[in-house]
Amino acid sequence: MAKTFIPLFLSLFVLLANIVPHLADNATLPTIFILGDSTADVGTNSFIPDSQARANFSPNGVDFPNGIPTGRFSNGFNSADQLAKLLGFKRSPSPYLFLLKQTSGHHKLLHRGVNFASGGSGLLYETGKNLSIVPLSDQIVQFTALRNNLTEVIGQASTEATLSKALFFISVGSNDIFEYFETNSTEAIENFIDSLMSAYTTHIEALYNLGARKFGIISVAKVGCCPANRLAYKNMTGKEGCFEAMNNVALAFQSALNTLLYNISSQLPEMKYSLGYAYNMTNDVINHPHDFKFHNVDTACCGRGILRAQGPCNATAELCPDRRKYLFWDLYHPTQKASRLAAETLFFGPPIYVSPINFSQLVNEN
Ligand SMILES: *[C@@H]1O[C@H](CO)[C@@H](O)[C@H](O)[C@H]1NC(C)=O
Ligand SMILES: *[C@@H]1O[C@H](CO)[C@@H](O)[C@H](O)[C@H]1NC(C)=O
Ligand SMILES: *[C@@H]1O[C@H](CO)[C@@H](O)[C@H](O)[C@H]1NC(C)=O
Ligand SMILES: *[C@@H]1O[C@H](CO)[C@@H](O)[C@H](O)[C@H]1NC(C)=O
Ligand SMILES: *[C@@H]1O[C@H](CO)[C@@H](O)[C@H](O)[C@H]1NC(C)=O
Ligand SMILES: *[C@@H]1O[C@H](CO)[C@@H](O)[C@H](O)[C@H]1NC(C)=O
Ligand SMILES: *[C@@H]1O[C@H](CO)[C@@H](O)[C@H](O)[C@H]1NC(C)=O
Ligand SMILES: *[C@@H]1O[C@H](CO)[C@@H](O)[C@H](O)[C@H]1NC(C)=O
Ligand SMILES: *[C@@H]1O[C@H](CO)[C@@H](O)[C@H](O)[C@H]1NC(C)=O
């Protein structure tokens, strides 16, 4: 009995001890917990055998260290990595589902946080369900399990102190909006946005009740302009351009989220947040690509056919010549370069892009 119990306990301790921030090593590095969809997924879905939303094959990862396709929907680092890098880490913390599989030998990989994000997921439980992904509410259930273990190992007070200083980065909402259009929903847009805000409120309150205090949130980008939706618009109307009806919903989402966070932060003592206006960031890049050194903001770098949006990014897809000049990696996702720009803007940007404070202020506040 004891023989098996002790190593089990020790490995759990080593595992969890490494999630606790090493404040003595570097007082500037906070713990980060990442939740959301494919914009922040660093391989979660690769651990779900029947998931239909995966990217763990080339040429994804072509610009990642050693060219490894890790499951990131990107040519290299995604926005979760870029944020972690700006905080002083090498990349995003590992996926929770990877962490669960580890024994003590791998604990060095588990420094300073966990990434729960799952490609295809949304705010609503039903979003992406057919793809076998981890819905946001289940990501929070996973976080709860981790928190309970942490409490067992380091105690209630240390857990609360750690979590209250941690950054909770959330990037979600696009997939809910995609499915609203894909399913030809007849629900009024106003009601749809209300249902998303109600879900967001539930998720934020759940995390808050588990000890989260610092929320770094990014709204939905101008998703009607991604290659997949430009092609959908072209198929519907015969015209070139962005799917503006979808952009209007993305903008309404951002505006409602702005109000929600303003309201909820006044009701939850000690809650602090930054909201990144992804719609406005992408709007400016798409309207003034050269100011941001992009040459192509409408076509996928990796894909097939019209706008390289008629096929997924896979081993037989076409690849653009210069990935640094493209806003989009595949038919939905930004390139590593675009993710870097987004993370820098969240971190250091002015109030037109991130408010009421930027991420660097959020992280450094006590
Ligand atoms: C610790 O923080 C400093 C900035 O204060 C940074 O230059 C350094 O790279 C960090 N160290 C590690 C190990 O990340
Ligand atoms: C999910 O699958 C069910 C049954 O196959 C189908 O009725 C439903 O429309 C699908 N949902 C979406 C969003 O594709
Ligand atoms: C929590 O601890 C139990 C054993 O007490 C272990 O089976 C489980 O995997 C741990 N969960 C996490 C999230 O670390
Ligand atoms: C939505 O409408 C389009 C165009 O009318 C149609 O082609 C498509 O099959 C519909 N999708 C669903 C899920 O009903
Ligand atoms: C648009 O039409 C093309 C064929 O012209 C098809 O390959 C593609 O899948 C369609 N895409 C969307 C998003 O409707
Ligand atoms: C924010 O609070 C105001 C005033 O209490 C209220 O009218 C509004 O409905 C709230 N909005 C949201 C999104 O919670
Ligand atoms: C890549 O996707 C295309 C569809 O555009 C498909 O026909 C092809 O078989 C896929 N290739 C691989 C290697 O999966
Ligand atoms: C972002 O926050 C930092 C504080 O960390 C502040 O010095 C800076 O002025 C802010 N950036 C902008 C553009 O407001
Ligand atoms: C974001 O863009 C929208 C639409 O152009 C605009 O109405 C809004 O004021 C902008 N938000 C900020 C914070 O600048």
Side-chain angles (χ1 to χ4, degrees), residues 211-243:
R213 292 294 178 271
K214 294 185 178 186
F215 294 84
I217 292 181
I218 184 157
S219 72
V220 171
K222 204 174 174 189
V223 284
C225 295
C226 73
N229 290 318
R230 284 179 187 266
L231 179 62
Y233 178 72
K234 187 174 176 151
N235 286 358
M236 285 183 289
T237 64
K239 294 184 203 151
E240 309 285 325
C242 301
F243 188 2

Side-chain angles (χ1 to χ4, degrees), residues 347-351 358 360-361 364:
F347 224 82
F348 303 114
N358 62 35
S360 83
Q361 289 168 297
N364 290 317

